[in-house]
Amino acid sequence: MPTCRNTALPFAVAALFGLAACSGGSASAAPASPAPQTEQVPQDEANDRDPFASAIEDAEHLPGYFDLYTKEDGTLLMAVPADRLGEQFLFEAKVARGIGASGVYGGTMLGGNQGSIMSIARRGNTLYLMEHPIHFTAEAGTPQERAVELSFSPSVVETASIDATRESDDVHLIDVTNWFVSDLAQVSQRLRSLTSTGSGPGPAPNFDRGRSFLEDVKAFPENLNIVSTLTFRPPQPAGAFSVPDGRFITVSVHHSIVRLPEVPMEPRLADERVGYFLTAHKDFTADEEEHFVRYVNRWRLERGEPAGDGLYHPVEPITFYLDHTIPELYRPYFIEGILAWNRAFEEAGFRDAVRAEMLPDGADAADIRYATLRWNTSNQPGYSAIGPSVVDPRTGEILDADQLYEANMILGFRRGWQNLVHPQTALDVALGIEGDDPDEAEQALMEHRHMAGIMSDQGLFLKTILAARGELNDRGEVPMEYLGEAIRWVVMHEVGHTLGLRHNFRSSTDTPLDRLHDREWAEERGLVSSVMDYHAPNVALQGEEQGYFYSPGVGTADVWKVAFGYTYDADRALELARLAEVDGRTYGDDSDSGGMGAMDPSVNTYDLSDDPIAWGWERTEMVQELWATLPGTVLTDNTRYAELAGAFQALLGQYSQALAPSVKYIGGEYVYRTRPGDPGDRGPFVAVGRDRQLEALRLLTEQAFGPTAFQLPPEMLAHFGPQRWSHWGFTNNYQGRIDFPYHERIVGLQSSLLNNLLNPMRLARIRDQELRHGAENVVPIPELMDELGRAVWSEVWGGSTASVSSLRRDLQRAHLDRMTALVVDPPDRMPADARAVARSQLRDLDGRLERALSGGASMDAYTRAHLEEARDWIAKSLEAGLQSER
C-alpha cells in the first residue's frame, strides 16, 4: 500500500473537510513495485542519535519516490539523497477541490497539459528547486548541445536550507512546507476572473499564508502527491455564489512529483495532416529550417505476444479505471465508450490495447499509475467533460490521464426543461467567436466551456422531439436507451483526448445526408467519421426511420489517426499521413472552425452531413414545427410556466446553430492540409462555388431575416412565465425583467448573424477571392449587401408599405446600425470598397424609404415614426461619414 497522511488536522476536522482516506493500489491492478509502509520514528531513540534523527523525531515516515516526513504541526520534510541531486523529474499541479465556477473545477490542470521538468540542486547549505527549459534541445554530445546549455538557464522556483544530513548514506533533510503552501502552481492567475471589474480579468488575488495549510500527503513508488489548501484574498469580495465568503477564496491544489521514465519512449514525429496534441521542441541539430521538432502525444504501446491475424497483444495495455463515484446506472456506457477504441488499435497492429476496469478498492485515483474516469459536480456547468493528460515533455509520452464528467451534463440532458445557454451564445459558440478569457484558455484547449449547457440543450431538444412523438418514459424523462447513446459518445470523445487526439470538426462531412439514419453505415463508419467532432443530435423528420442519435462507435477518421500514432512502423505512419482526405479520413480542428478568420464551411461544430445547408433547412423547419407544439408538449399537469420559456430558448439555440454553417459559406473557401502528390490533394484552398454561396444566403435571408421568421402566436408568448424562485443560484427574472424579453432574444440572434456576415475580415476575403477565383465565381460585396438589404427591408423594397411589425423594426434598426457604422466608424481592416458600397446602399435605401412614406397612407404610427427616424439616421450618417474622411 502507498503511505499517506492528513497533516495538521485532527480527525474530527479532517472529517469536516471531507479529506480523502489513505489509499493505494493492489498488486494485480498496478505495477508490481513494492509499496513501502508508514514508519513512526520513536522519540526515545531519536534523542540519542545524530541531528538527522533528532530532526525527524515524532515525525511520520512516508517512504516513496522521495522519502517524506510529516509532523503534527503541519511541517513537511523531504529526504534528498546526494546521489540524486540533479536528477530530473516531472512536476505537475491540478485543482484538487475547486470552487465550482470560473474555470476552477476539481481535477482540472494548472499550467497547461504539459508538466514541468524539475530537479534539485545544491549550493552550500541550500537546496534549490530548479525548473528546466523544456522547449530548446540539441543532440547529446554536439556543439549545439553546449550552446543550448549556455543560452537557456533554468529558473529557481523554490529554496530550502539543509536541516540535517544523514552521514551513513549522505541524505539531506529539508523543510519543503513552504514549497507547497504557496502559490507555486500560480492559482492566483486562474482566479483573476473573480476580481474583474470590467471586461477583462482583474488583478491576481493575494496569497494568504495564514489561512493555508497542508491537507494531505501521499507517497507512492513512482510519485509523490501533496495536496494543499490555499487561500487567496481578492481586493474586493468575490461574487461567486459557490464561494461561502467572498473575502477568502480557498482552493485545494494537488501537486505531483513524478519519476520520469528511465528509458525515454521512442517519439513519433507529428504530421499536420493528422490531428494529435503536440510536444514541440526547438532542436538546434535538426535539419528543419526553423529547427522545430514536433512529437505526437501518445501512450507507450509496445508489441508483446502475437495475437493472430498479424496483431500483437501489448506488453502493457492502456488501462482506464472507473472511479466508484460514477453512478452504477451509467457505468456500462462508460465501459462501452472506453472499449470502442480497440477497433482503432487493431488497425495499428494491437489486439485489446485498451482495457476498462473499476478502480480497485483501496486504490487512489491520484496515483499516477491509474488513469481514471471520475464523476464531478459543480455549481455552474463548466465543461461537460474533460480529458487532460500528463505527458513526458521530452518525448510526448502520456504518463497519466484523469477524465472528469460533470453530473450537470447528464442530469440536464435527461430531466427538466431548463435552458442553460443563451441562444445568441449558442450561435457564437457554433461560430467560435465568443470572447477570449485568458484564465480559461487551458480549459478551452480541451473542451469548449459552453459544452455542458449545449449538451443539456441538446437533451432538451431530444426530449421535445420524443414528447411530441409520445416516446418519453412514464416519468417524463428521456429514456436510458437514448441517454446511453449520449454518454457513450461523450466517453469515447474524452478517451480520444487522453489517447492524444485533437478535435476533428470536419468529420461530419464524411456522411452523406441520405445516410444519416442508416444504422449499418453508422456502425461501420460512424455517424460522423470521428467521435472527436461535436455533432448535433441526429433526429429524423416526422414519419422517417430514426437512426442513431449519437455516433455509436469510433469512425473511419479515428481508426486512421490511431493507426498513424500507434503503429509500430514509423514508415507506415508516414504513408498513412498521406491518405488525408481519402475515403473517410478527413480532418479539421479548432483552428479551422472558430473565429472570424475561419473560412471553411465544412469544418463546423454542431452540424451534420456532407450538406450543411440542406441539413440546416431540415433542422430549422423541424424546430419551427416543434415551436408550434410546445405548449401542449411542455405545459402538462402541474408544470411551471417558466418551463415553456426554457424549452423555447433551448430550441432557439438549436435553430441558431443550424444556421451557423451557412454564414461561413459567404466568402468561404475549403481549406485542406494535404501536400502535393497526396492521393487526396486538392491544393490548400478550393473555392466555394457561387451557387453554394447563394444557397446559404437564401437559407439565412428566409429563416433568419425573412418576414415570417420567429413569428409566434401571441397566446404562446403570453405563457412564457418567469422563474418564481429567488435565491442563490436562481433568479426570478430575465436580466431584470419578470416577463420574457422576446424582442431582445430575437434581435440579439439576428444582430450576431448580421455582424458576422458584414465582418471586415469576411468582406476583405471576398475581395481577395474575386482576384483568386474571378468575380463571376463569388458573391461580391455589392450583391451581398443588396441581398441582405432586400431581405431585412422587404416591406419597403417595393416602394409602398402598410405596417411593419415590431420584430421587423428591431431587425431593421440592427441592420441600419451595422451599415451606418461601416460608413461613420469603419472597423479595423475594413476594405475601403466595403465602406463605399455601404454608403451607396444607404443612399438607395433612403430613396426607398422616401417612396414608402409618400405612398404608405395606411401604415400605423409606429411604422411611420420608424421609417422617418431611419431616414434621419441615414442622412446624419452619410454627412458624418464624409466629415470623418476629410
Side-chain angles (χ1 to χ4, degrees):
M1 297 286 289
T3 54
C4 64
R5 184 170 183 280
N6 293 325
T7 62
L9 291 173
F11 176 81
V13 178
L16 177 64
F17 276 79
L19 301 179
C22 177
S23 58
S26 66
S28 62
S33 304
Q37 299 295 317
T38 300
E39 177 185 329
Q40 191 74 30
V41 179
Q43 180 176 356
D44 55 350
E45 296 181 16
N47 293 332
D48 297 329
R49 294 191 297 196
D50 59 25
F52 190 102
S54 297
I56 62 173
E57 69 177 9
D58 296 329
E60 190 172 4
H61 181 199
L62 283 68
Y65 176 51
F66 285 99
D67 283 5
L68 301 176
Y69 299 86
T70 62
K71 293 191 172 185
E72 289 297 329
D73 64 359
T75 300
L76 176 64
L77 305 175
M78 177 185 288
V80 182
D83 61 3
R84 291 179 60 192
L85 292 172
E87 175 183 298
Q88 294 186 343
F89 53 83
L90 184 68
F91 174 86
E92 64 100 3
K94 57 189 172 187
V95 180
R97 186 170 57 240
I99 59 174
S102 299
V104 186
Y105 303 100
T108 54
M109 296 286 292
L110 293 165
N113 72 321
Q114 188 177 66
S116 303
I117 288 184
M118 294 191 178
S119 67
I120 299 175
R122 179 181 180 181
R123 295 294 182 273
N125 198 48
T126 302
L127 296 190
Y128 298 85
L129 182 63
M130 315 287 290
E131 181 173 355
H132 296 269
I134 60 177
H135 299 299
F136 308 101
T137 63
E139 185 179 339
T142 63
Q144 292 94 326
E145 181 189 31
R146 179 61 178 160
V148 168
E149 291 175 354
L150 293 173
S151 301
F152 305 103
S153 299
S155 297
V156 178
V157 294
E158 289 290 354
T159 67
S161 298
I162 298 175
D163 290 343
T165 299
R166 190 166 58 209
E167 301 296 338
S168 61
D169 53 3
D170 203 13
V171 174
H172 306 302
L173 189 69
I174 57 175
D175 185 342
V176 294
T177 311
N178 287 337
W179 287 14
F180 303 103
V181 185
S182 71
D183 195 21
L184 176 64
Q186 301 185 62
V187 180
S188 60
Q189 297 302 313
R190 181 72 72 88
L191 298 173
R192 291 174 63 197
S193 61
L194 295 177
T195 66
S196 175
T197 57
S199 58
N206 294 320
F207 175 65
D208 190 334
R209 178 67 177 79
R211 290 178 170 82
S212 304
F213 52 88
L214 286 176
E215 179 179 316
D216 190 45
V217 179
K218 299 181 181 180
F220 302 94
E222 302 297 324
N223 65 297
L224 307 175
N225 289 343
I226 298 98
V227 179
S228 306
T229 294
L230 308 177
T231 299
F232 299 85
R233 300 193 67 168
Q236 59 185 16
F241 282 115
S242 56
V243 177
D245 187 332
R247 297 173 299 168
F248 310 102
I249 306 172
T250 301
V251 177
S252 291
V253 175
H254 182 286
H255 311 84
S256 285
I257 290 176
V258 180
R259 186 195 304 271
L260 285 167
E262 186 175 345
V263 179
M265 181 188 72
E266 182 69 27
R268 170 63 42 80
L269 288 174
D271 194 293
E272 76 274 14
R273 291 167 289 192
V274 190
Y276 274 81
F277 291 114
L278 304 178
T279 292
H281 297 157
K282 204 164 193 178
D283 186 338
F284 289 94
T285 49
D287 294 332
E288 297 289 338
E289 182 179 349
E290 296 180 341
H291 299 296
F292 277 107
V293 176
R294 305 168 181 91
Y295 303 138
V296 304
N297 291 353
R298 61 174 185 159
W299 294 86
R300 187 186 297 237
L301 204 61
E302 299 170 329
R303 285 179 174 179
E305 296 294 324
D309 299 325
L311 304 179
Y312 291 83
H313 291 294
V315 172
E316 184 175 344
I318 304 168
T319 303
F320 293 101
Y321 294 92
L322 276 67
D323 191 69
H324 293 273
T325 54
I326 298 172
E328 292 185 15
L329 180 64
Y330 305 141
R331 290 177 191 173
Y333 304 108
F334 274 75
I335 293 172
E336 290 174 11
I338 295 169
L339 297 181
W341 283 100
N342 276 320
R343 174 189 167 198
F345 278 92
E346 290 188 0
E347 189 69 19
F350 293 95
R351 175 159 289 157
D352 297 327
V354 179
R355 294 184 183 175
E357 299 180 12
M358 291 302 300
L359 189 66
D361 291 337
D364 194 318
D367 188 338
I368 200 168
R369 295 174 296 177
Y370 299 95
T372 59
L373 288 76
R374 289 184 280 173
W375 193 254
N376 191 33
T377 59
S378 59
N379 175 48
Q380 301 169 2
Y383 50 81
S384 177
I386 53 174
S389 302
V390 177
V391 302
D392 183 342
R394 302 170 302 175
T395 63
E397 178 181 357
I398 299 175
L399 303 175
D400 187 30
D402 294 296
Q403 303 164 41
L404 291 172
Y405 295 85
E406 274 198 319
N408 281 329
M409 170 191 67
I410 293 175
L411 294 177
F413 190 101
R414 192 176 190 197
R415 300 186 180 93
W417 299 96
Q418 184 183 2
N419 163 253
L420 297 176
V421 176
H422 192 292
Q424 184 177 341
T425 302
L427 173 69
D428 292 344
V429 165
L431 291 170
I433 58 167
E434 83 278 35
D436 295 325
D437 185 343
D439 293 309
E440 298 189 10
E442 169 196 323
Q443 181 180 312
L445 177 67
M446 284 298 178
E447 291 303 338
H448 207 291
R449 60 180 174 269
H450 291 295
M451 188 182 176
I454 286 172
M455 279 296 294
S456 292
D457 280 5
Q458 285 188 1
L460 203 156
F461 171 61
L462 180 56
K463 180 177 179 179
T464 307
I465 289 281
L466 297 175
R469 298 177 184 177
E471 296 182 30
L472 292 182
N473 65 24
D474 55 6
R475 295 185 302 277
E477 300 171 334
V478 173
M480 277 302 303
E481 172 191 353
Y482 306 128
L483 178 60
E485 287 189 28
I487 295 173
R488 183 174 56 228
W489 168 74
V490 172
V491 173
M492 287 190 293
H493 183 97
E494 298 311 326
V495 169
H497 278 318
T498 62
L499 295 174
L501 302 183
R502 292 181 62 90
H503 288 139
N504 185 356
F505 295 146
R506 176 174 261 138
S507 75
S508 56
T509 62
D510 278 328
T511 303
L513 183 66
D514 61 2
R515 292 280 195 158
L516 284 178
H517 298 285
D518 184 334
R519 286 179 170 261
E520 186 175 329
W521 171 284
E523 290 163 3
E524 180 182 348
R525 302 176 63 90
L527 175 61
V528 293
S529 68
S530 175
V531 297
M532 305 314 297
D533 205 340
Y534 293 164
H535 68 76
N538 183 36
V539 179
L541 294 172
Q542 184 71 32
E544 294 186 1
E545 184 176 355
Q546 175 65 52
Y548 286 101
F549 289 104
Y550 288 91
S551 203
V554 297
T556 51
D558 298 317
V559 172
W560 164 61
K561 289 192 287 184
V562 167
F564 164 82
Y566 286 89
T567 181
Y568 202 73
D569 186 346
D571 291 334
R572 180 176 179 242
L574 180 59
E575 294 172 2
L576 286 166
R578 301 209 68 179
L579 295 179
E581 303 304 327
V582 174
D583 192 26
R585 298 181 182 91
T586 56
Y587 170 56
D589 62 21
D590 309 68
S591 62
D592 300 308
S593 71
M596 291 299 181
M599 58 194 297
D600 191 331
S602 69
V603 186
N604 303 298
T605 58
Y606 309 115
D607 69 338
L608 280 169
S609 91
D610 62 346
D611 191 344
I613 301 174
W615 174 82
W617 275 108
E618 283 190 5
R619 184 54 54 95
T620 53
E621 290 174 352
M622 183 184 298
V623 171
Q624 288 172 343
E625 292 175 2
L626 287 173
W627 281 337
T629 67
L630 269 185
T633 300
V634 177
L635 297 181
T636 56
D637 183 52
N638 204 32
T639 56
R640 296 178 301 116
Y641 285 105
E643 294 177 355
L644 180 61
F648 168 76
Q649 288 197 94
L651 293 181
L652 185 58
Q654 294 294 306
Y655 190 95
S656 66
Q657 289 184 341
L659 295 173
S662 292
V663 174
K664 291 161 69 175
Y665 276 90
I666 313 303
E669 288 182 272
Y670 302 107
V671 185
Y672 296 102
R673 297 166 179 261
T674 53
R675 299 180 185 177
D678 287 353
D681 182 42
R682 311 174 198 182
F685 300 103
V686 174
V688 173
R690 171 180 166 81
D691 290 344
R692 290 294 280 167
Q693 293 192 45
L694 289 174
E695 286 178 36
L697 190 55
R698 177 172 166 263
L699 172 61
L700 293 168
T701 54
E702 291 195 20
Q703 299 293 70
F705 307 133
T708 61
F710 310 112
Q711 299 284 354
L712 296 183
E715 59 273 16
M716 180 175 171
L717 293 172
H719 286 85
F720 282 3
Q723 297 283 359
R724 300 311 302 170
W725 296 111
S726 183
H727 55 75
W728 69 267
F730 244 92
T731 178
N732 66 349
N733 59 72
Y734 302 97
Q735 296 176 306
R737 289 179 55 176
I738 294 295
D739 61 320
F740 186 78
Y742 188 72
H743 285 84
E744 293 177 15
R745 292 289 192 265
I746 301 304
V747 76
L749 171 59
Q750 292 171 323
S751 296
S752 185
L753 286 168
L754 286 171
N755 290 340
N756 271 273
L757 289 166
L758 297 173
N759 181 268
M761 197 172 295
R762 188 179 312 282
L763 300 179
R765 227 171 23 232
I766 290 173
R767 288 205 317 160
D768 289 340
Q769 289 170 3
E770 291 183 52
L771 289 179
R772 283 200 294 267
H773 309 301
E776 70 280 4
N777 295 315
V778 301
V779 176
I781 294 173
E783 186 175 4
L784 170 62
M785 290 187 176
D786 190 66
E787 289 297 323
L788 290 177
R790 184 188 302 272
V792 172
W793 295 90
S794 60
E795 292 88 345
V796 302
W797 211 255
S800 177
T801 186
S803 295
V804 181
S805 71
S806 58
L807 286 175
R808 298 286 294 165
R809 296 196 299 269
D810 281 355
L811 170 61
Q812 290 165 4
R813 292 186 184 102
H815 174 262
L816 195 57
D817 181 65
R818 186 62 182 168
M819 294 294 288
T820 55
L822 299 184
V823 173
V824 176
D825 187 20
D828 292 340
R829 305 179 72 177
M830 172 64 68
D833 280 345
R835 186 185 64 230
V837 173
R839 177 180 283 108
S840 175
Q841 289 282 320
L842 288 174
R843 287 197 181 102
D844 179 76
L845 177 59
D846 183 60
R848 296 178 187 279
L849 292 171
E850 181 182 21
R851 290 190 293 273
L853 283 166
S854 63
S858 60
M859 68 179 62
D860 62 23
Y862 274 125
T863 301
R864 182 168 293 279
H866 165 61
L867 300 185
E868 289 173 347
E869 181 187 55
R871 290 203 67 202
D872 291 341
W873 194 348
I874 291 171
K876 291 179 180 179
S877 298
L878 291 175
E879 176 62 27
L882 290 173
Q883 293 292 336
S884 66
E885 294 168 23
R886 291 174 183 170

